[in-house]
Amino acid sequence: MIQDQGQWQPGGGAQDFDFTLMRDDLCITVQVIEKNADPETMLLPRLRKKFQLTGTKYGCGVGGCGACTVMISSYNPVIKRIRHYAANACLIPICSLYRVAVTTIEGIGSTKARIHPVEERIARCHGTQCGFCTPEMVMFILLGNHPESSLEQLTDVLNGNLCRCTGYRSIIDACKTFCKTSGCCQSKENGICHLDQEINELPEFEEVNKTSPKLFSEEEFLPLDPTQESVFPPELMIMAEKQPQRTKIFSGDRMIWISPVTLKELLEAKFNYPQAPVVMGNTSVGPEVKFKGVFHPVIISPDRIEELNFANCSHNGLALGAGLSLTQVKDILGETIQNSPEEKTQMYQALLKHLGTLAGSQIRNMASLGGHIMSRHLDSDLNPLLAMGNCTLNLLSKKGKQQVPLNGDFLRRCPDTDLKPEEILISVNIPYSRKWEFVSASFRQAQQQQNALAIVNSGMRVFFGEGGDIIRHLSIHGDVGPTTICAKNPCQKLIRRYGIMSLDSKPWNEEMLDAACRLVLDVTLPGLALGGKVEFKRTLIISFLFKFYLEVSQMLKRMDPVHYPSLTDKYESALEDLHFRHHCSILKYQSADSKQLLQDTIGHAIMHLSGIKHATGEAIYCDAMPTVDRELFLTFVTSSGAHAKIVSIDLSEALSLPGVVDIVTEEHLHGVNSLCQKEKLLVTEEVFCAGQLICAAIADSEVQAKQAAKRMKIIYQDLKPLILTIEEAIQHNSFKPEKKLEYGNVDEAFKMVDQILEGEIHMGGQEHFYMKTQSMLVVPKGEDQEIPKYIQDIVASTLKLPVNKVMCHDLVKRIGGAFGAKAIKTSIMAAITAFAANNSATVIPSCSATASSIGFMNDGRSLALDMEHYSNGGASLDESLFVIEMGLLKMENAYKFPNLRCRAWACRTNLPSNTALRGSGFPQAGLITGSGTTEVAARCGLPPPTPEGNANLVRMINMYEIGQTPYKQEINTKNLTQCWKERIAMSSYSLRKAAVEKFNSENYWKKKGLAVVPLKFPIGLGSVAAGQAAALVHIYRGSVLVTHGGIEMDQGVHTKMIQVVSRELRMPMSNIHLHGTSTETVPNTNISGGSVVVDLNGLADACTLLKCLEPIISKNPQGTWKDWAQAAFDENISLSATGYFRGYESNMNGETGEVHPFKYFVFGAAYSEVETDYLTGARKNTRTDIVMDVGCSINPALDIGQIEGVFIRGMGLYTIEELNYSPQGVLYARGPNQYKIPAICDIPTELHISLLLLSQSSNTLYSSKGLGESGIFLGCSVFFAIHDAVKVAQQERGLSGPLKLNSPLTPEKIKMACEDKFTKMIPKDKPGSYVLWNIPI
């Protein structure tokens, strides 16, 4: 809380206040005197830096990810009510917290006192992997949990939170433990429940059903304890009740913050500072200041004024105070709808539905109604709907009152209708709807259903005369991307033309609809419209108009069934919402061996050992470590041009700023300015991509370093050619060395086949989007530098030191998610940071395009594949060659091509260099062969589909049997076949296929599709040296300390390693402690990746210690480890040992064509089912079933979590996540507002995972298999299910020819793939008549 310390006087300096935080589960407050509060300081850095409350994380910085969620509590003495709500600490100025209590995750519970049941359950339900986002999830489950909470309510509040690791299913499981559930999936789509015994308990599935222990036991959970619930500090209530409210004014170095408490004071402040923005939640002004460089010398914050927080119902409608938060507006609308006649609340129902999709719940809690209206953002969700609803605004200034209509002129800021600078919005009038008036605002299409900016958003209203004979009024408003559209003139034309019809005809008919569509399209978009997708947006406008026509027709039929005909059955589905909410899952895995020792946990579902600390916020990450003495901060300066000569760099202004220590440039790094000869660390002469590192500012604080970076003046001169796309690289012959794989005789095979399929497919890239961003801490210690071996080598080279004087530590035992991005790129930043310490960004996996020819027989057998694969590698080599090489070796996936020729090139372009991602080339290569096989099934001319479907039959015909891979490595695919068969049983495929066909025959605008994909993923690193690993084990009196060479990212490697040591030493896990990875204890470690971290480091454990101790143990078999360790010490037996594993055998001699790059194969299969809406391009994944061959799982809970998380990531790669670049090569999609990753609303309604029973042992660690990467490809089952649905829609519309769909398969591509009467209407811009907003990469 913030307490008053006196009134500010002009020239008197800043005010002091007391800042009180809820620190632990006993609700004890810790009070800190805040001197000279700066209005520019946000709550988040204050919590993390000053109070060391690091459980609240810094993620995106714009309130889009939820990592910084805290609970805000305030008391209203007028209505005697306490309000608790979640908010984004990254956007909250500390000056706005007067008389407010702030609770962080540390105030919920801790391991030092007692943990909260929510924290315990999310950990025990395995809802944490890297753990970075877990505290935010806890905060939201806690705030959304009420005695009668439904699962829908809890998942609703979580939609503002992102997780890149878990796939959300385990988090939903934790939510379910607080809800009353029916036990059924509650979503009998196709008339089938996943619990129906007669469907899923097929003979083939009986054995699997016998082996499914639960991943957690609810009986062990802590009960909810009322004493742990939120308690508002009583002293704040006393202050609010007894101390009078006074205007607060805070003055910083550059900004003044004025917080009035009455309307009179507010009007006075606005009169004195007419240009000052009025800020309530800071959700609009905050991001502009932080990322766009906007500065306001004065800010007025009226969040304590009661006259702005009210709701009044009158005979005309609802008046809402401008200060109400959007969440409060939502609650008020819901209550009004319940208490009013239905015909009067159509507008309120439309607004309420829209508010459910607007932003995340934190933003809705903070943003005010007035602020949302007055910001008039071009992508606003509510403003067009309020304008459509004939709402009015009540304004006030010192000169008096004014009421203005909220219409298109106001939204476009026309001078005649805009506010005067000194005016304040007091309230908004929202009128009731009337009889024979129909309102709809459920017309919204975005990249995601929730928490995403709308691509097109529209509200429509029509008012008929009594009996529906006359159209008296028609209103259409919308935001089309960043363009506000008010179709006033088209509406007036329609009323004049169709307002009154003859006695035997009504005005609301298809003739009117056709004319309306054509007139509305006159209000069109230019080809250069911001956000691109111009034709898609135009189509959506009239698709929404058609939906409105159907909605009104349906309601008119109810009111006048004689004169208005019923809708055809095929059209009714166009009005139904696509998304269902009830999530369910079945998880199946093999029980651990009953003969295992009691302390042996191999095969058991063990909770992530850091899970509780993840949930309580006590898990420490690099940027949460305590500040060290004389700590400096470094910020990079990056290029704004994609290919340019640097004419000059002026550092003088930056160096003159207070707190700036130095600026590191290429000149400082003379002789060591390269990364293994692949890439320069810093450049000062020529840049080859936007975002290339130029120099680095070093300062006493992070803020000062960033300010210095902004003050550097760099002048560029553009250079030619500017190569951005693969096509441009081919044109300019801008390639890196070719890679080739050939098997059999392709040319001869093409002469023998019945048909040859030729085509190409393009696939976009994907952001790693790890929640924990790149960070490193460098501490110089004399000539020895304490900094995984790769980073150690680069840092040593940069500092010109022997490697033995550079120590690299994983001091905090975790780095957050990485997904391939924290190896090569991290070393660049670590090297420069180390150099700076000694002397004083986001990466994207490659985009690809592939042209291929497949020769096949009419029975579906593919005999030859000839493929040319191009990968957009970016400006430097990085990992591009490794990625395309791995893609070639894995490209056939589960299919056997007797004759194969594949060539691949990494294209050098002027985009940021691309690096590895989960799968390293396989997600791209697998999509190629999957697409080809799907098209072969469509063309081969097989007889009418079998129950399994022609596509599945062709897949089965071409799947591997025992034999050789194209690189002549022996392979046994028994488990591949078993995965395929179990998937058939698990998904009830034939029944679901029949149900899907029935649905499709009955619905014209909605179609369902299903698809099954097999998986063969090779595991190995390509060389013996890359597979080396070591571990160090110390035995003390009864306990063990372990350290190894693996890095904990999100895969639970430390948990599994302790399980391994527990088995080998026959010791309980509680007696084993793991020390963070360090080059001091385990030298020459390899990069952690390739799904083999546990394999290699587990095989390196010091099991030889047990052999040394066996004579001791045999003498005293009933003794304890404490006894044995003491006896060994007394007999001079070493209790420390190093384990070493030399690596799997591997051969990568590409010249002979006979290589053995991989140790083993992971097999799997996935079935996915989707429903698509062809009016909008929206889709939902209704069900996914995955079967994976994991060998003998060391920890089924962690392995299932890995499968789920990587599958959801793959689904994002193939269907959601889209990178947009400007024609100048600048990435548009930066941060969660522009780049969308899967959220809870995107996961399958049903997600079922089955681990294949161990049928054959392998020469791996306990016959286990690595799973971190393979499952990403299974996400393309959703891609091919959409493909199947689009194909059905095309056939129904009489469209023939091949179906070409590229990845990611976004709503735009789904909609535009199906031509209909609406897509034919839209005007087409002539190529070359405009400049593209973005370019396809």
Side-chain angles (χ1 to χ4, degrees):
M1 67 181 178
I2 297 177
Q3 297 178 349
D4 189 4
Q5 288 287 313
Q7 178 68 34
W8 178 88
Q9 299 294 332
Q15 285 182 298
D16 299 340
F17 53 79
D18 292 347
F19 194 5
T20 304
L21 294 165
M22 312 299 289
R23 284 294 300 263
D24 61 26
D25 63 316
L26 300 178
C27 296
I28 297 173
T29 59
V30 177
Q31 192 175 58
V32 180
I33 300 297
E34 185 73 25
K35 293 285 187 181
N36 302 320
D38 189 340
E40 294 187 78
T41 301
M42 298 296 117
L43 173 62
L44 180 60
R46 216 42 155 202
L47 292 176
R48 292 178 59 82
K49 295 297 183 183
K50 183 166 184 176
F51 306 126
Q52 285 299 300
L53 298 176
T54 56
T56 307
K57 307 296 195 298
Y58 189 98
C60 66
V62 293
C65 68
C68 64
T69 299
V70 296
M71 182 172 75
I72 303 295
S73 304
S74 60
Y75 175 70
N76 188 321
V78 177
I79 60 176
K80 311 294 184 184
R81 182 180 296 173
I82 298 170
R83 180 188 174 213
H84 302 292
Y85 62 93
N88 296 114
C90 68
L91 293 177
I92 302 176
I94 60 172
C95 293
S96 68
L97 297 175
Y98 179 67
R99 289 186 181 175
V100 165
V102 178
T103 304
T104 67
I105 188 65
E106 290 87 353
I108 305 301
S110 71
T111 58
K112 296 175 182 176
R114 54 177 175 169
I115 63 173
H116 193 280
V118 173
E119 296 170 327
E120 183 214 26
R121 294 188 192 187
I122 200 168
R124 292 193 181 277
C125 292
H126 313 287
T128 171
Q129 288 188 22
C130 85
F132 192 77
C133 70
T134 308
E136 64 175 274
M137 300 294 180
V138 170
M139 296 295 292
F140 265 92
I141 296 174
L142 179 70
L143 283 164
N145 185 32
H146 304 288
E148 297 296 325
S149 291
S150 68
L151 181 60
E152 183 175 342
Q153 288 171 325
L154 283 175
T155 52
D156 259 344
V157 299
L158 285 171
N159 265 313
N161 298 327
L162 299 178
C163 176
R164 198 51 151 165
C165 302
T166 64
Y168 302 104
R169 189 273 314 160
S170 51
I171 298 170
I172 292 174
D173 276 356
C175 291
K176 285 180 179 178
T177 66
F178 296 100
C179 304
K180 292 183 178 180
T181 56
S182 68
C184 171
C185 67
Q186 306 176 48
S187 59
K188 290 194 175 185
E189 305 169 59
N190 307 331
I192 298 172
C193 171
H194 78 279
L195 298 177
D196 286 350
Q197 301 297 308
E198 65 272 21
I199 293 174
N200 278 339
E201 291 197 0
L202 300 176
E204 307 97 302
F205 218 39
E206 288 180 359
E207 187 177 6
V208 180
N209 287 334
K210 296 175 184 177
T211 60
S212 300
K214 294 189 70 172
L215 290 179
F216 55 87
S217 173
E218 294 190 33
E219 291 75 19
E220 298 177 0
F221 289 158
L222 293 172
L224 285 172
D225 183 354
T227 65
Q228 288 184 280
E229 299 310 308
S230 304
V231 177
F232 191 74
E235 57 267 36
L236 279 181
M237 297 178 67
I238 294 171
M239 288 173 56
E241 294 280 2
K242 296 186 175 181
Q243 292 185 10
Q245 292 264 41
R246 292 185 297 174
T247 292
K248 302 294 296 180
I249 303 177
F250 301 97
S251 179
D253 293 336
R254 305 192 306 160
M255 181 185 291
I256 296 174
W257 181 280
I258 304 174
S259 178
V261 294
T262 66
L263 271 180
K264 181 180 179 181
E265 292 171 344
L266 172 61
L267 297 177
E268 184 69 30
K270 190 61 174 165
F271 181 81
N272 293 331
Y273 303 100
Q275 301 305 319
V278 177
V279 173
M280 295 286 282
N282 203 39
T283 57
S284 178
V285 171
E288 289 180 347
V289 170
K290 186 177 292 187
F291 295 105
K292 295 182 180 180
V294 176
F295 175 70
H296 302 286
V298 178
I299 285 180
I300 302 171
S301 178
D303 54 356
R304 296 184 292 149
I305 298 179
E306 285 298 320
E307 294 97 323
L308 297 178
N309 293 274
F310 69 91
N312 291 330
C313 278
S314 66
H315 67 282
N316 292 323
L318 193 60
L320 298 177
L324 293 170
S325 73
L326 296 182
T327 297
Q328 290 173 315
V329 170
K330 189 168 177 267
D331 295 339
I332 292 166
L333 289 173
E335 186 177 344
T336 305
I337 290 168
Q338 275 191 330
N339 300 326
S340 305
E342 183 177 357
E343 70 175 30
K344 298 178 69 174
T345 62
Q346 287 195 48
M347 179 64 185
Y348 303 155
Q349 292 179 50
L351 286 170
L352 183 63
K353 187 171 183 179
H354 228 68
L355 280 166
T357 63
L358 191 154
S361 50
Q362 303 101 313
I363 295 295
R364 293 198 297 267
N365 291 335
M366 298 167 65
S368 66
L369 175 63
H372 186 92
I373 292 171
M374 295 307 302
S375 65
R376 283 173 282 187
H377 287 307
L378 295 176
D379 48 18
S380 166
D381 271 314
L382 289 187
N383 283 351
L385 313 186
L386 295 169
M388 170 271 298
N390 218 16
C391 298
T392 55
L393 305 178
N394 297 312
L395 310 178
L396 185 64
S397 70
K398 290 185 70 174
K399 297 179 181 179
K401 299 179 180 179
Q402 183 188 184
Q403 190 174 85
V404 299
L406 201 170
N407 55 22
D409 289 343
F410 171 80
L411 296 180
R412 288 191 292 269
R413 301 178 188 267
C414 295
D416 294 340
T417 59
D418 203 3
L419 271 73
K420 298 178 177 61
E422 68 275 10
E423 286 184 317
I424 295 292
L425 174 62
I426 301 300
S427 63
V428 184
N429 298 325
I430 309 175
Y432 289 126
S433 51
R434 298 161 286 181
K435 187 178 180 181
W436 294 101
E437 183 175 44
F438 305 105
V439 178
S440 184
S442 57
F443 306 134
R444 184 180 191 275
Q445 183 56 45
Q447 200 79 343
Q448 287 176 308
Q449 180 207 8
Q450 293 181 313
N451 197 20
L453 296 174
I455 299 169
V456 172
N457 166 43
S458 180
M460 304 180 190
R461 178 171 61 93
V462 62
F463 177 49
F464 293 92
E466 186 70 28
D469 296 326
I470 301 172
I471 299 177
R472 294 191 180 278
H473 184 80
L474 179 64
S475 178
I476 300 173
H477 284 77
D479 277 339
V480 184
T483 303
T484 298
I485 287 182
C486 174
K488 182 178 179 180
N489 292 333
C491 289
Q492 291 175 345
K493 289 180 182 179
L494 283 169
I495 292 173
R496 288 195 296 269
R497 189 183 306 177
Y498 296 98
I500 303 176
M501 302 296 285
S502 61
L503 293 177
D504 59 345
S505 177
K506 294 291 183 179
W508 199 257
N509 55 39
E510 291 200 13
E511 180 185 349
M512 183 278 304
L513 171 65
D514 185 78
C517 291
R518 299 184 187 281
L519 286 170
V520 168
L521 283 173
D522 289 341
V523 188
T524 191
L525 294 169
L528 182 57
L530 292 176
K533 308 178 191 291
V534 172
E535 291 187 2
F536 177 47
K537 291 173 181 176
R538 290 170 178 164
T539 306
L540 283 176
I541 295 171
I542 52 177
S543 291
F544 287 156
L545 185 54
F546 175 63
K547 277 199 171 191
F548 182 59
Y549 167 77
L550 294 179
E551 281 189 15
V552 174
S553 298
Q554 192 176 60
M555 290 185 282
L556 286 171
K557 172 63 180 175
R558 292 177 193 156
M559 298 178 71
D560 187 358
V562 175
H563 295 95
Y564 282 95
S566 300
L567 295 178
T568 62
D569 292 340
K570 286 189 174 183
Y571 280 5
E572 282 190 356
S573 67
L575 299 178
E576 297 173 5
D577 288 335
L578 199 59
H579 295 265
F580 301 102
R581 292 302 188 88
H582 301 290
H583 298 281
C584 61
S585 59
I586 296 177
L587 309 175
K588 298 182 182 295
Y589 62 96
Q590 185 172 2
S591 298
D593 191 343
S594 59
K595 298 179 182 179
Q596 288 180 199
L597 296 175
L598 184 62
Q599 66 266 29
D600 185 355
T601 59
I602 297 296
H604 290 275
I606 302 298
M607 177 183 68
H608 196 301
L609 292 186
S610 293
I612 295 293
K613 288 189 175 182
H614 288 162
T616 61
E618 294 170 280
I620 301 299
Y621 299 82
C622 182
D623 60 350
M625 295 177 66
T627 303
V628 300
D629 185 36
R630 294 182 297 169
E631 183 174 284
L632 299 176
F633 293 82
L634 182 146
T635 295
F636 289 104
V637 178
T638 60
S639 63
S640 58
H643 187 199
K645 177 183 178 182
I646 297 178
V647 177
S648 65
I649 302 177
D650 184 356
L651 309 178
S652 57
E653 185 177 353
L655 287 169
S656 67
L657 293 176
V660 176
V661 175
D662 200 0
I663 294 174
V664 179
T665 65
E666 181 180 9
E667 183 179 355
H668 293 85
L669 301 176
H670 181 68
V672 293
N673 188 36
S674 68
L675 178 65
C676 299
Q677 307 303 315
K678 292 182 180 180
E679 183 175 355
K680 279 190 172 184
L681 303 180
L682 298 173
V683 296
T684 54
E685 295 180 356
E686 183 177 350
V687 296
F688 295 95
C689 68
Q692 191 165 2
L693 302 182
I694 295 177
C695 54
I698 309 165
D700 293 332
S701 71
E702 185 178 0
V703 172
Q704 291 169 329
K706 289 181 177 180
Q707 288 176 347
K710 291 179 181 179
R711 299 293 182 89
M712 297 185 200
K713 298 176 181 177
I714 303 175
I715 298 176
Y716 302 93
Q717 178 183 337
D718 290 339
L719 298 176
K720 299 293 183 182
L722 177 62
I723 302 172
L724 302 178
T725 67
I726 288 173
E727 291 76 10
E728 290 169 343
I730 294 173
Q731 177 185 348
H732 291 90
N733 200 30
S734 182
F735 300 119
K736 291 162 186 174
E738 174 190 307
K739 296 289 183 179
K740 185 176 181 181
L741 178 65
E742 191 163 2
Y743 182 84
N745 192 323
V746 172
D747 295 328
E748 288 298 318
F750 275 131
K751 296 176 183 178
M752 299 168 53
V753 298
D754 294 331
Q755 298 185 55
I756 296 177
L757 168 67
E758 294 183 344
E760 64 180 44
I761 186 169
H762 291 253
M763 182 173 175
Q766 184 183 39
E767 290 270 11
H768 292 86
F769 209 97
Y770 34 75
M771 303 295 290
K772 170 68 188 72
T773 53
Q774 303 261 16
S775 58
M776 58 281 306
L777 173 67
V778 178
V779 181
K781 294 188 177 180
E783 64 177 4
D784 299 329
Q785 309 300 319
E786 294 195 8
I787 319 264
K789 178 182 181 299
Y790 189 82
I791 295 176
Q792 183 186 29
D793 290 342
I794 300 301
V795 170
S797 172
T798 304
L799 298 180
K800 297 181 180 180
L801 287 174
V803 177
N804 67 347
K805 292 187 177 182
V806 177
M807 305 305 162
C808 184
H809 300 276
D810 179 16
L811 293 174
V812 294
K813 298 186 182 179
R814 60 193 64 85
I815 62 171
F819 320 118
K822 292 183 178 177
I824 304 300
K825 295 300 182 185
T826 300
S827 64
I828 296 176
M829 291 184 280
I832 298 171
T833 306
F835 183 90
N838 198 45
N839 290 272
S840 52
T842 300
V843 286
I844 305 157
S846 60
C847 316
S848 62
T850 303
S852 61
S853 300
I854 299 178
F856 60 96
M857 308 303 288
N858 288 335
D859 61 3
R861 288 179 297 127
S862 297
L863 300 185
L865 171 65
D866 190 3
M867 183 191 78
E868 293 183 348
H869 179 73
Y870 297 90
S871 175
N872 193 328
S876 63
L877 191 60
D878 201 271
E879 292 295 292
S880 294
L881 292 182
F882 173 76
V883 168
I884 64 170
E885 189 173 68
M886 287 294 105
L888 284 181
L889 292 173
K890 301 175 183 180
M891 57 79 51
E892 84 280 14
N893 186 21
Y895 306 113
K896 174 67 175 178
F897 294 94
N899 304 280
L900 177 147
R901 179 171 58 218
C902 299
R903 291 167 290 172
W905 294 267
C907 300
R908 179 165 184 161
T909 64
N910 296 119
L911 294 179
S913 62
N914 294 310
T915 193
L917 181 72
R918 275 178 155 174
S920 295
F922 178 66
Q924 295 83 4
L927 183 67
I928 297 164
T929 49
S931 298
T933 304
T934 300
E935 193 60 31
V936 166
R939 294 194 185 190
C940 64
L942 288 174
T946 62
E948 290 78 18
N950 282 354
N952 284 346
L953 182 59
V954 170
R955 290 185 179 107
M956 291 173 63
I957 289 172
N958 290 290
M959 279 198 320
Y960 263 103
E961 296 178 358
I962 294 175
Q964 286 187 336
T965 65
Y967 40 90
K968 301 178 182 178
Q969 181 171 339
E970 297 295 325
I971 181 173
N972 183 343
T973 57
K974 176 184 175 182
N975 283 1
L976 173 61
T977 304
Q978 186 62 28
C979 286
W980 184 267
K981 290 181 178 178
E982 186 171 311
R983 189 275 321 152
I984 293 290
M986 185 178 180
S987 63
S988 310
Y989 182 82
S990 57
L991 290 174
R992 299 194 75 83
K993 183 174 183 293
V996 164
E997 289 173 350
K998 181 175 184 295
F999 176 91
N1000 289 340
S1001 67
E1002 296 172 350
N1003 296 274
Y1004 185 78
W1005 291 108
K1006 285 190 173 67
K1007 298 296 177 187
K1008 290 189 176 183
L1010 40 78
V1012 187
V1013 296
L1015 168 71
K1016 174 187 69 69
F1017 186 84
I1019 298 291
L1021 298 173
S1023 74
V1024 177
Q1028 296 177 83
L1032 178 65
V1033 177
H1034 299 315
I1035 297 181
Y1036 302 92
R1037 295 182 180 182
S1039 61
V1040 171
L1041 177 65
V1042 183
T1043 184
H1044 60 91
I1047 299 294
E1048 178 67 69
M1049 291 170 278
D1050 69 348
Q1051 76 281 54
V1053 59
H1054 291 341
T1055 303
K1056 287 186 175 182
M1057 285 297 294
I1058 290 180
Q1059 288 181 267
V1060 170
V1061 174
S1062 173
R1063 165 174 279 193
E1064 293 300 324
L1065 296 183
R1066 304 171 196 168
M1067 176 183 287
M1069 290 179 64
S1070 58
N1071 289 8
I1072 303 167
H1073 179 69
L1074 191 139
H1075 190 274
T1077 304
S1078 170
T1079 56
E1080 284 183 297
T1081 53
V1082 181
N1084 304 314
T1085 57
N1086 275 305
I1087 291 174
S1088 292
S1091 302
V1092 294
V1093 183
V1094 175
D1095 291 33
L1096 304 181
N1097 289 279
L1099 288 167
D1101 74 65
C1103 58
T1104 53
L1105 268 176
L1106 190 62
K1107 293 180 181 179
C1108 298
L1109 293 173
E1110 281 177 354
I1112 300 291
I1113 297 172
S1114 63
K1115 293 178 184 178
N1116 182 16
Q1118 301 303 317
T1120 64
W1121 263 104
K1122 186 176 181 179
D1123 300 330
W1124 299 333
Q1126 184 62 52
F1129 179 79
D1130 293 340
E1131 295 186 21
N1132 298 336
I1133 296 176
S1134 173
L1135 292 175
S1136 178
T1138 298
Y1140 173 74
F1141 179 62
R1142 69 180 302 274
Y1144 291 130
E1145 290 299 326
S1146 182
N1147 170 28
M1148 284 290 285
N1149 185 359
E1151 295 181 3
T1152 64
E1154 297 184 16
V1155 298
H1156 190 283
F1158 306 116
K1159 173 61 178 177
Y1160 59 87
F1161 299 87
V1162 171
F1163 301 108
Y1167 161 91
S1168 285
E1169 183 179 321
V1170 300
E1171 183 179 336
T1172 53
D1173 182 343
Y1174 288 99
L1175 280 171
T1176 62
R1179 60 91 185 161
K1180 72 161 183 168
N1181 185 357
T1182 57
R1183 175 166 174 164
T1184 290
D1185 299 85
I1186 296 174
V1187 179
M1188 287 291 283
D1189 163 35
V1190 303
C1192 179
S1193 174
I1194 293 175
N1195 188 324
L1198 296 182
D1199 286 343
I1200 288 173
Q1202 287 288 293
I1203 293 168
E1204 291 169 333
V1206 77
F1207 166 77
I1208 296 298
R1209 183 184 194 104
M1211 183 186 71
L1213 167 66
Y1214 292 114
T1215 66
I1216 296 175
E1217 300 177 44
E1218 190 172 31
L1219 294 167
N1220 285 308
Y1221 287 88
S1222 74
Q1224 293 75 39
V1226 177
L1227 180 65
Y1228 286 135
R1230 288 181 282 186
N1233 286 347
Q1234 295 84 26
Y1235 186 83
K1236 308 309 294 185
I1237 69 171
I1240 281 183
C1241 60
D1242 298 301
I1243 69 173
T1245 307
E1246 297 180 45
L1247 177 59
H1248 309 311
I1249 310 290
S1250 177
L1251 304 187
L1252 191 69
L1253 295 178
L1254 180 65
S1255 59
Q1256 52 187 359
S1257 299
S1258 59
N1259 187 24
T1260 60
L1261 180 65
Y1262 309 140
S1263 294
S1264 65
K1265 294 187 176 183
L1267 294 172
E1269 297 183 284
S1270 53
I1272 192 170
F1273 173 72
L1274 296 180
C1276 77
S1277 62
V1278 181
F1279 175 96
F1280 287 116
I1282 298 172
H1283 185 285
D1284 183 53
V1286 173
K1287 190 73 175 177
V1288 172
Q1290 281 197 333
Q1291 291 171 349
E1292 189 173 53
R1293 288 156 174 76
L1295 302 174
S1296 59
L1299 175 58
K1300 182 181 177 182
L1301 293 173
N1302 294 321
S1303 174
L1305 196 43
T1306 58
E1308 176 189 14
K1309 293 172 185 172
I1310 295 171
K1311 171 62 183 173
M1312 302 310 292
C1314 289
E1315 190 177 73
D1316 54 37
K1317 61 182 181 181
F1318 301 125
T1319 57
K1320 291 177 181 178
M1321 282 185 183
I1322 62 172
K1324 305 289 195 302
D1325 295 310
K1326 293 181 180 179
S1329 63
Y1330 59 91
V1331 178
L1332 286 172
W1333 175 79
N1334 66 323
I1335 55 172
I1337 297 295

